[in-house]
Amino acid sequence: MPAPANGQTQAPSGTPDDSRTTAPAPEQHLPTHVLVKRLLRDHIRPYLWRLSVAVLFMAIVAAATAGNAWLMEPALDKVFIQQDLQYLYLVPVAVILLAVVKGFASYLQNTIMAEVGQRIIAETQVRMHAHLMRADLAWLHQIHTGKLISSFLYDAMLLRDAVSRALTGMVKDFLSLIFLAAVMFYQEWELSLVVCLVFPMVGLASGKLGRKTRKGAAKSQEETGRLSALLNENFDGARMVQAYGMEEAETARARQVVEDRLHHMTKVIRARSAASPATEALGGIAVGAAIFYGGLQAAEGDMTLGAFASFITALLLAYQPLKSLANLNTALQEGLSAAQRLFAVLDVEPVIRDAANAVPFAPRGGAIRLADVAFRYPDGTRALRGVTLEVPAGRRVALVGPSGAGKSTVLNLIPRFYDASTGQVLIDGQDVRGVTLASLRAGIALVSQEMTLFDTTVRANIAYGRPGASEAEIRAAAEAAAADDFITGLSDGYDTVVGENGVKLSGGQRQRIAIARAMLRDAPILLLDEATSALDTESERKVQHALKRLMQGRTTVTIAHRLSTVLDADIIYVMDQGRVVEQGDHAALLARGGLYARLYRTQFLEEAPDREMAADDPAAGPAPDGAAPNSASLDGASLDGALPAARPGLAG
């Protein structure tokens, strides 16, 4: 993307300074008909043909149910009263056939709907996962992992119930009502009109209870997310909880969240439970009226016993689907509440995405340039202020400075984890916003202090990013990262499962596997995000040796935490308050006497008493081979390797 002719850079479309934002969108309370329409479009339409077959079987079940009610008339009038032998054989056979047909149709209908419901859950979860894997990091960092997991599991389950149980159950019960009502009108249409007046009253009561259910379900699902987040924090931080004796405090916090969740769930239970008594009462009124009116008709000879029995049977059978409809409405409202939360996540479009005219990235050495780059996070925090720096192809550049200086932001702009608010980030002259994300990130390898490993084998962790790598390539990368020796010593060698985030390995071992992963990727650009900050001196020495191999022939940008990663850098950029304040190599920056020299001098003088004490202590042996006598963090650089010969340059 070329710069404007006036020499000024433009803010790209879709950056954090735009009107669009990566912050979580507020949950919109969409009307029920809108949510139902979207459910039908996004989740039900792909299975429409299977659902149509299920509806056909539902109609068969409903017709069989109505057929049983209709058979009551010939069973009483023809068999018991008139004692017609022909009907004595026909009616039982008809009852048996209806039972067989109804049972077979029920089985097929239930099987189809259960499979569709489970498939909807699976597709929704896969869709959410794919969406979140492409989401902006700034947005992901604002949502607790526990809440996302709650949506994956609990909300998806409620959505399944809304589709497979509520919506389709309503179809089945509604069809049953239609067929049974047909029998009732066939037997006595006047009485049927009176009875049917009850149906709208049931609908009104069900609607009111459904609204209460949906409101309570939304609150209880929020509390479920809070509970999931709290559990995630406590389980991950169990060591710290025990170290500080906070077991009781965390249990009390969990108890409060559980009680809040229980409070809202109780409201849902009460509203759901009220549906049955309301339907019971209204149904009782209908049955009582039918018996009274039917008795009068029978006494006057206008209705046979069989016709009355058939009518009452149809009415009593209709009572069950009517009650089910009231109960299913509450389940539907819970599902719609869950759907609203899921849609709120799925509707957040990533800002960091391919431009309409994006082209594949064509690396030509990996030279990086930031041109007058400014960056502001979505919450308004300004991280960079007109940063300009260059990383020549194949050279090694370090970023140092105090915490909050903007070092990590610079690193995150290169692979487009974020986009610059103004200015340009160019690699080999190509604006990173003008190339496809996949091709850009394929040319970059990242090794960070987080040492992310997955709960799978050592082999799979090394091959992450190159799944098709051969065994020889994986072993060669491990050997280059000084990891092969300890890997072969593991219980199952390269087939050893490392545990959650590599918990079965030491910090140094995890980091060397991460380096082997980057070596196997063989990308022209290497980003090191304080890759040795969490290691002890001996582990750091081994990892540094592996890193030097990894950096050979690659353009490397490293956030320096220890001075051992700074001393031999080709260029050191010193950052402070979002700006580059100094640049040069180690010797030149010391000689300049600026911020770098002041930080260096302060840290060096703080170490001096410790070094003198170590020198006077005869019990203190020599430092390990290749390790510095002392190590002190510079929060961006360290004093590992500080030598007295450098003292004259500190006077600056």
Side-chain angles (χ1 to χ4, degrees):
M1 184 183 298
N6 60 6
Q8 299 297 316
T9 54
Q10 298 174 330
S13 174
T15 65
D17 277 353
D18 287 349
S19 59
R20 288 185 295 169
T21 178
T22 56
E27 186 172 320
Q28 300 176 351
H29 295 283
L30 300 175
T32 298
H33 73 278
V34 174
L35 284 171
V36 171
K37 183 178 180 181
R38 184 163 179 183
L39 277 174
L40 292 172
R41 183 191 68 207
D42 295 348
H43 298 279
I44 295 179
R45 182 181 293 176
Y47 308 100
L48 195 57
W49 69 272
R50 297 180 69 181
L51 292 174
S52 299
V53 174
V55 169
L56 175 61
F57 288 121
M58 291 178 198
I60 293 174
V61 171
T65 302
N68 283 324
W70 179 81
L71 284 173
M72 290 299 297
E73 180 180 9
L76 289 176
D77 290 344
K78 301 293 185 182
V79 177
F80 290 98
I81 297 177
Q82 299 179 19
Q83 297 182 352
D84 189 327
L85 292 180
Q86 181 180 2
Y87 279 90
L88 178 62
Y89 294 106
L90 290 176
V91 171
V93 170
V95 170
I96 293 172
L97 287 176
L98 283 176
V100 172
V101 170
K102 181 179 179 181
F104 184 68
S106 295
Y107 167 77
L108 293 176
Q109 167 248 308
N110 290 331
T111 301
I112 292 173
M113 293 315 307
E115 290 178 354
V116 169
Q118 294 298 335
R119 174 52 58 186
I120 286 173
I121 281 188
E123 293 295 337
T124 301
Q125 290 172 332
V126 170
R127 184 180 172 193
M128 279 190 66
H129 186 274
H131 183 79
L132 291 171
M133 289 298 97
R134 293 174 174 82
D136 297 331
L137 291 183
W139 182 79
L140 284 174
H141 291 166
Q142 295 179 62
I143 301 179
H144 199 289
T145 304
K147 293 184 178 181
L148 290 177
I149 293 175
S150 173
S151 287
F152 263 93
L153 302 178
Y154 187 63
D155 289 341
M157 180 186 67
L158 291 177
L159 180 60
R160 176 203 63 191
D161 288 345
V163 174
S164 66
R165 193 167 76 88
L167 287 178
T168 55
M170 286 181 171
V171 172
K172 181 180 69 174
D173 291 331
F174 184 69
L175 289 174
S176 296
L177 278 177
I178 290 176
F179 280 97
L180 290 168
V183 173
M184 291 163 59
F185 274 92
Y186 172 77
Q187 298 295 356
E188 182 56 55
W189 68 270
E190 292 178 347
L191 180 57
S192 298
L193 287 176
V194 175
V195 170
C196 286
L197 291 176
V198 174
F199 292 174
M201 299 171 64
V202 173
L204 291 174
S206 177
K208 185 176 181 180
L209 292 173
R211 287 189 292 273
K212 289 185 177 181
T213 300
R214 184 169 171 184
K215 184 177 179 180
K219 293 291 186 180
S220 68
Q221 286 163 230
E222 285 181 22
E223 296 302 328
T224 299
R226 282 185 59 205
L227 178 60
S228 180
L230 184 145
L231 294 175
N232 188 62
E233 287 180 353
N234 286 174
F235 295 154
D236 285 348
R239 182 184 181 194
M240 194 61 61
V241 171
Q242 294 179 12
Y244 282 84
M246 294 295 290
E247 296 91 340
E248 292 298 325
E250 290 301 329
T251 300
R253 194 158 69 105
R255 182 182 294 110
Q256 183 60 53
V257 176
V258 169
E259 288 295 332
D260 291 342
R261 180 172 179 265
L262 178 61
H263 172 71
H264 294 297
M265 290 187 73
T266 301
K267 289 185 176 181
V268 174
I269 292 170
R270 288 173 180 170
R272 187 190 302 157
S273 300
S276 291
T279 311
E280 293 271 3
L282 294 171
I285 294 173
V287 172
I291 293 174
F292 177 77
Y293 183 83
L296 290 178
Q297 292 289 89
E300 296 175 1
D302 295 332
M303 180 182 290
T304 66
L305 178 61
F308 179 70
S310 176
F311 180 89
I312 288 295
T313 301
L315 177 58
L316 292 175
L317 288 174
Y319 170 72
Q320 181 57 44
L322 186 65
K323 187 168 66 173
S324 295
L325 282 173
N327 291 330
L328 287 172
N329 183 53
T330 61
L332 174 63
Q333 295 303 325
E334 289 183 74
L336 292 177
S337 178
Q340 192 157 272
R341 286 161 56 91
L342 292 172
F343 293 154
V345 174
L346 292 171
D347 286 345
V348 177
E349 291 293 333
V351 172
I352 310 298
R353 54 186 173 185
D354 290 341
N357 57 347
V359 298
F361 172 59
R364 297 186 297 273
I368 301 170
R369 172 176 168 78
L370 271 68
D372 195 26
V373 168
F375 178 81
R376 188 191 299 270
Y377 284 99
D379 63 1
T381 304
R382 187 179 292 277
L384 298 179
R385 307 164 186 265
V387 170
T388 297
L389 58 83
E390 292 191 17
V391 183
R395 307 292 288 276
R396 183 183 172 201
V397 166
L399 306 176
V400 303
S403 178
K407 307 182 294 296
S408 293
T409 304
V410 169
L411 205 71
N412 285 329
L413 292 176
I414 297 171
R416 280 195 76 195
F417 294 146
Y418 301 103
D419 269 343
S421 301
T422 60
Q424 289 180 298
V425 179
L426 304 120
I427 302 178
D428 291 329
Q430 304 164 80
D431 194 310
V432 296
R433 290 166 294 189
V435 300
T436 61
L437 281 170
S439 63
L440 170 67
R441 292 171 182 173
I444 298 173
L446 171 67
V447 180
S448 71
Q449 60 181 326
E450 296 171 355
M451 299 181 283
T452 301
L453 297 184
F454 300 93
D455 189 13
T456 182
T457 64
V458 172
R459 177 184 291 101
N461 272 287
I462 295 176
Y464 193 78
R466 271 193 65 189
S470 67
E471 182 71 16
E473 289 173 325
I474 292 172
R475 288 182 177 271
E479 289 173 359
D484 183 69
D485 287 344
F486 84 79
I487 293 173
T488 54
L490 296 174
S491 58
D492 295 315
Y494 282 81
D495 292 318
T496 301
V497 176
V498 301
E500 184 179 0
N501 205 25
V503 69
K504 297 179 181 179
L505 305 177
S506 69
Q509 290 172 336
R510 291 197 300 270
Q511 195 63 292
R512 277 179 278 168
I513 289 178
I515 293 170
R517 175 193 296 163
M519 283 183 166
L520 186 62
R521 189 169 180 82
D522 196 25
I525 298 172
L526 175 63
L527 305 179
L528 302 177
D529 185 4
E530 299 186 353
T532 62
S533 63
L535 303 180
D536 59 80
T537 305
E538 181 63 20
S539 295
E540 184 204 0
R541 183 182 65 81
K542 295 177 181 179
V543 169
Q544 285 289 5
H545 181 69
L547 284 174
K548 286 181 180 179
R549 291 186 182 181
L550 176 60
M551 289 185 285
Q552 290 176 2
R554 292 181 172 85
T555 303
T556 303
V557 180
T558 178
I559 295 178
H561 185 76
R562 300 186 187 277
L563 194 56
S564 58
T565 65
V566 174
L567 296 178
D568 56 353
D570 297 305
I571 305 172
I572 300 172
Y573 287 100
V574 185
M575 299 189 66
D576 189 27
Q577 298 182 4
R579 294 186 175 90
V580 174
V581 295
E582 294 174 5
Q583 68 182 74
D585 60 21
H586 175 71
L589 289 172
L590 285 179
R592 183 174 299 168
L595 175 61
Y596 181 87
R598 289 198 302 273
L599 291 171
Y600 187 95
R601 180 170 59 249
T602 301
Q603 299 273 336
F604 183 85
L605 293 176
E606 287 177 353
E607 279 189 325
D610 293 337
R611 276 195 301 275
E612 292 173 0
M613 290 177 62
D616 292 339
D617 185 1
D625 183 28
N630 255 303
S631 173
S633 173
L634 172 66
D635 196 26
S638 143
L639 295 184
D640 288 354
L643 301 174
R647 188 181 295 275
L650 300 179

